Amino acid sequence: MKKTHVHSGMYAAVLSQAVGRAVLLWCVIILALVVWLFGIADISARADTVETQKLMFQFQNTRTKKLVLHQPDLVAFLSGAGSGALNADITDHRGTLTFSSSVDRRLWARVNGRWGEDGQRKDKYGFGAMGLHAYVRPSLIVGGMIEADYLSQAGTVSDKEGLGAMAGPYFLARNANHPLFFEGRFLYGRASNGVRLLGDSKERPDTRRTLAQLKMSGQLRYGITTLIPSILASYATDDVSPRGGGSLPEQGIRLRQIKMRLGFRHTLRQMNGAPFTLNGGGALSSTSTRRYGSDALATVNQRDGHGRVNLGVSYFTQAGGAIVIDSFVDGLGASTSQNYGLKAAFNIRF
């Protein structure tokens, strides 16, 4: 009986150890599954966040370039050239709208709108500006302006939308010896945005924006030759703050752009009392976009520059007719292919 009792105890101990090992193994397997599942979910969440950051950067980049491009030209308030206008071109799936008030008023307004639909992609953009200025001297204007812009890009993969406003001072000055005009502005504002990948919740980050511009333009006359210089320098920022709403980390862009042009008109001879003129010139443009923020973004800083030259002749008759021939080469120094061509226009009145 004693021997049987000892064997039973040994069998019970062996069985208990086997059950313990099996339970421990299952615990390890379950723990590994939990870690694996949570790790995959975390990686997926990080991947979605990175994609949303890239989407937001692309939206910031597009919006900032449009903001710089649509800034109103204020030189007309000193030169007196130009007038109020309203233009609209609307079809079933796209349209454009522009409005500008008269240049002889101290309170002015500018509006630009564009919308279009291409398959399942829909784009909308609107820009409006209003300002008020005073004449400190006949050759100096100081004023203030407010701007608002809206951009919406909807497609099959993502939706992007933003509404912003900016305000700040501006000035206009004229050289007393030559018809050269100087223009400057500094604007500060905010924007509310919404970006969403298909199937995900929408992020709603707010951004802070600044814009500074300096411009010089005009004409320099030297006998029968007229030089037409123009320089425009722009600096714009758009920053996302973690405290501005949404869960995106802090990120932003810096846009620097400079455009230079020098044109000329040279009267070759008079034909029947009307000038036969040689026209030409060259232009250079350089744009640099710098991204900063999360290291997870793979977007590199962008730099683009290109040049353009043109040469042609024109003849305007006293009766109002015109003959214009112009040749051009565009894309000099750019990474893309160059464009060149020849244009001719005839306008005869009788």
Side-chain angles (χ1 to χ4, degrees), residues 32 141 148 217 219 245 297 345:
I141 288 178
S217 62
Q219 297 183 359
L297 283 175

Side-chain angles (χ1 to χ4, degrees), residues 173-255:
R174 176 174 178 171
N175 188 293
N177 299 323
H178 297 281
L180 287 177
F181 300 92
F182 302 88
E183 173 187 330
R185 73 193 69 187
F186 178 79
L187 304 175
Y188 174 82
R190 295 180 177 272
S192 298
N193 308 279
V195 292
R196 177 178 61 185
L197 290 169
L198 186 63
D200 293 338
S201 60
K202 179 175 286 190
E203 290 285 347
R204 298 186 178 276
D206 293 338
T207 61
R208 302 183 302 269
R209 303 190 296 171
T210 59
L211 172 65
Q213 269 192 346
L214 287 174
K215 180 179 180 181
M216 185 276 290
S217 62
Q219 297 183 359
L220 301 173
R221 295 184 176 90
Y222 300 97
I224 59 175
T225 302
T226 301
L227 299 181
I228 310 170
S230 176
I231 301 176
L232 174 62
S234 304
Y235 177 74
T237 68
D238 191 274
D239 301 328
V240 175
S241 172
R243 297 180 296 275
S247 59
L248 293 180
E250 184 176 0
Q251 67 180 60
I253 67 171
R254 300 287 184 267
L255 174 68

Side-chain angles (χ1 to χ4, degrees), residues 67-287:
L67 181 68
V68 173
L69 178 64
H70 286 83
Q71 288 299 304
D73 185 7
L74 307 179
V75 170
F77 294 126
L78 267 183
S79 66
S83 60
L86 174 63
N87 299 301
D89 183 7
I90 302 174
T91 61
D92 293 339
H93 301 290
R94 62 187 65 252
T96 58
L97 174 68
T98 60
F99 167 78
S100 60
S101 60
S102 177
V103 298
D104 59 355
R105 298 178 181 273
R106 298 186 179 186
L107 178 64
W108 55 270
R110 301 284 190 274
V111 176
N112 291 281
R114 181 183 296 272
W115 61 94
E117 182 177 345
D118 184 9
Q120 295 183 340
R121 180 180 176 84
K122 298 179 180 179
D123 294 325
K124 299 177 182 177
Y125 183 75
F127 175 87
M130 179 179 293
L132 178 65
H133 56 249
Y135 288 83
V136 180
R137 292 195 299 268
S139 60
L140 177 61
I141 288 178
V142 176
M145 61 190 299
I146 58 174
E147 296 181 354
D149 68 323
Y150 172 79
L151 176 62
S152 174
Q153 297 176 323
T156 58
V157 179
S158 63
D159 294 331
K160 295 169 282 187
E161 184 179 29
L163 176 65
M166 305 184 76
Y170 66 88
F171 76 90
L172 290 165
R174 176 174 178 171
N175 188 293
N177 299 323
H178 297 281
L180 287 177
F181 300 92
F182 302 88
E183 173 187 330
R185 73 193 69 187
F186 178 79
L187 304 175
Y188 174 82
R190 295 180 177 272
S192 298
N193 308 279
V195 292
R196 177 178 61 185
L197 290 169
L198 186 63
D200 293 338
S201 60
K202 179 175 286 190
E203 290 285 347
R204 298 186 178 276
D206 293 338
T207 61
R208 302 183 302 269
R209 303 190 296 171
T210 59
L211 172 65
Q213 269 192 346
L214 287 174
K215 180 179 180 181
M216 185 276 290
S217 62
Q219 297 183 359
L220 301 173
R221 295 184 176 90
Y222 300 97
I224 59 175
T225 302
T226 301
L227 299 181
I228 310 170
S230 176
I231 301 176
L232 174 62
S234 304
Y235 177 74
T237 68
D238 191 274
D239 301 328
V240 175
S241 172
R243 297 180 296 275
S247 59
L248 293 180
E250 184 176 0
Q251 67 180 60
I253 67 171
R254 300 287 184 267
L255 174 68
R256 295 178 176 88
Q257 186 179 84
I258 184 167
K259 295 182 178 180
M260 299 182 292
R261 174 173 173 77
L262 179 62
F264 70 89
R265 291 196 305 264
H266 179 74
T267 303
L268 296 176
R269 57 179 299 185
Q270 295 283 338
M271 297 177 60
N272 299 323
F276 187 75
T277 307
L278 178 68
N279 307 286
L284 293 174
S285 175
S286 176
T287 302

